[in-house]
Amino acid sequence: MAVPTGTTSGAPARPAAGGSDPGRGSREKSENTRSSGLSGRRAWMLVVPTLVVLAVVIGYPVVRAVVMSFQKDAGLDPTTGMFVEGGWAGFTNYTHWILQQCTSPGGVVVACPPGTLGSQFWSAVGNTAFFTVVTVTLEVAIGLWMAIIMGKTFKGRALLRAAVLIPWAIPTAVTAKLWYFIFAYDGIANRLLGTEILWTSDAWPARFAVIISDVWKTTPFMALLILAGLQMIPQDVYEAARVDGASAWQRFRQITLPLVKPALMVAILFRTMDALRMYDLPAILTGGNPATTTVSILVVDQVRQGFNSASALSTITFLLIFAVAFVLVKFLGANAVETQEAQRKGPKP
């Protein structure tokens, strides 16, 4: 029998040159699946140790604080007069702060008397919010101005940038003591102004002293973050605007602000989170003035009287900061996406 040309008896036919192998795609797909699986396992092997460390260092203290917040502080039992370790408290610690309810020696729940820590919660929240809004607003405005100046090319720019960062590099405790001497009754501030203001004792002067000190220290941090965003803006955009006859204010409003907005929002987020937990500056500068008592100061004062109630206050503080951070992150993400989309599409004709 004659065998057809180009074939071998008993052997499977091979695909013609330039043809496709039906099993090649499935083999490549299986190999890609195996390689991606190996890469995924290697990634998890690198990530899991970090997650375990974070769970131990961050997760356990948070969970422990929440559990402690539902326990009573050790003290005297009003019915027996004996010292007891505490026990389950439910939401009593939270109502103690939020509703400013205290327990009298007879065991009756009453409104916290003036001067107690429980009666200072909402005033401390108000002080914290006031310091955060005022200091962040001033630091953003001054930091943006400083960043624009540092972003220009001139002789001595490197020296100026180094000098601007000095206040930020000084520890906060040292900064507080420095301004404490400046705002003393016979300090530099009263001598220069010719006044006799009690900067660290009176309510509003103490608030202004904290604001001035915090703005002086933290504005360089804002300027540094904003400067990083300004340096990402192409100079060709400014040159094109100058050719079109745009003024300096128009270039600032229509080019600088929109393009620096993502970096500006990141700076606002970081600084807001830092201001909401302000403790050492007002504590050292004003020495526990009720007009400058923040939530963090209240937590430390409560720790000296009872850990469980302080844990409840810490949990409330955490939730407040988390809520503010959530709002800022959502706002930041939306505007960052819009700004990047505008940069990708370019200016409108």
Side-chain angles (χ1 to χ4, degrees):
M1 179 182 294
V3 179
T5 306
T7 60
T8 304
S9 178
R14 296 181 180 180
S20 59
D21 187 355
R24 182 177 180 180
S26 60
R27 287 196 301 270
E28 291 181 350
K29 185 176 181 180
S30 61
E31 290 175 358
N32 292 334
T33 303
R34 285 195 298 270
S35 62
S36 62
L38 292 175
S39 300
R41 284 193 292 270
R42 293 193 189 99
W44 275 108
M45 291 174 61
L46 296 175
V47 171
V48 167
T50 304
L51 294 178
V52 172
V53 173
L54 291 177
V56 173
V57 175
I58 299 178
Y60 173 76
V62 172
V63 174
R64 179 59 178 167
V66 173
V67 173
M68 290 176 61
S69 67
F70 292 100
Q71 303 293 324
K72 294 180 180 179
D73 290 317
L76 295 176
D77 189 349
T79 57
T80 62
M82 302 294 292
F83 186 84
V84 294
E85 289 295 333
W88 178 255
F91 290 94
T92 303
N93 291 330
Y94 291 93
T95 57
H96 165 69
W97 295 110
I98 298 176
L99 302 180
Q100 296 183 338
Q101 295 178 348
C102 295
T103 304
S104 64
V108 181
V109 177
V110 296
C112 293
T116 59
L117 295 180
S119 65
Q120 301 178 29
F121 172 73
W122 287 111
S123 62
V125 172
N127 291 334
T128 304
F130 174 75
F131 288 144
T132 301
V133 172
V134 176
T135 56
V136 172
T137 301
L138 292 175
E139 289 161 6
V140 167
I142 302 175
L144 179 59
W145 173 68
M146 293 171 59
I148 292 175
I149 294 177
M150 290 188 296
K152 297 183 180 296
T153 302
F154 56 90
K155 187 177 181 180
R157 183 179 65 172
L159 180 61
L160 176 63
R161 291 182 177 181
V164 165
L165 293 178
I166 291 177
W168 182 48
I170 298 176
T172 306
V174 178
T175 300
K177 271 300 180 183
L178 171 65
W179 285 96
Y180 175 81
F181 293 126
I182 293 176
F183 288 121
Y185 181 75
D186 56 348
I188 299 174
N190 279 336
R191 289 181 180 273
L192 290 178
L193 299 175
T195 58
E196 296 180 353
I197 301 175
L198 300 177
W199 289 98
T200 59
S201 300
D202 291 343
W204 281 105
R207 293 189 179 104
F208 288 136
V210 172
I211 290 172
I212 294 172
S213 306
D214 190 70
V215 170
W216 179 83
K217 174 176 174 52
T218 320
T219 299
F221 171 74
M222 300 290 287
L224 188 64
L225 293 180
I226 298 173
L227 177 62
L230 288 176
Q231 291 180 338
M232 299 297 294
I233 302 176
Q235 294 300 318
D236 298 341
V237 180
Y238 291 105
E239 293 297 334
R242 290 191 186 96
V243 171
D244 292 339
S247 63
W249 171 249
Q250 290 174 333
R251 294 195 300 270
F252 174 76
R253 185 171 58 88
Q254 299 180 7
I255 297 176
T256 303
L257 280 183
L259 297 183
V260 83
K261 199 171 185 179
L264 189 63
M265 293 303 301
V266 171
I268 292 174
L269 173 64
F270 287 169
R271 182 64 197 117
T272 302
M273 298 298 98
D274 189 40
L276 287 173
R277 58 182 182 85
M278 183 186 300
Y279 169 76
D280 41 4
L281 183 62
I284 298 173
L285 179 60
T286 62
N289 190 329
T292 60
T293 297
T294 61
V295 178
S296 296
I297 294 177
L298 203 61
V299 171
V300 175
D301 291 341
Q302 179 58 40
V303 167
R304 301 186 179 99
Q305 299 184 12
F307 288 100
N308 296 329
S309 183
S311 298
L313 182 56
S314 298
T315 304
I316 296 173
T317 305
F318 169 77
L319 293 177
L320 289 175
I321 296 177
F322 178 81
V324 174
F326 178 79
V327 173
L328 289 178
V329 167
K330 295 292 288 185
F331 178 70
L332 170 64
N335 283 272
V337 171
E338 291 175 2
T339 303
Q340 292 175 359
E341 187 69 17
Q343 292 177 355
R344 186 182 65 81
K345 293 181 179 180
K348 294 181 180 181

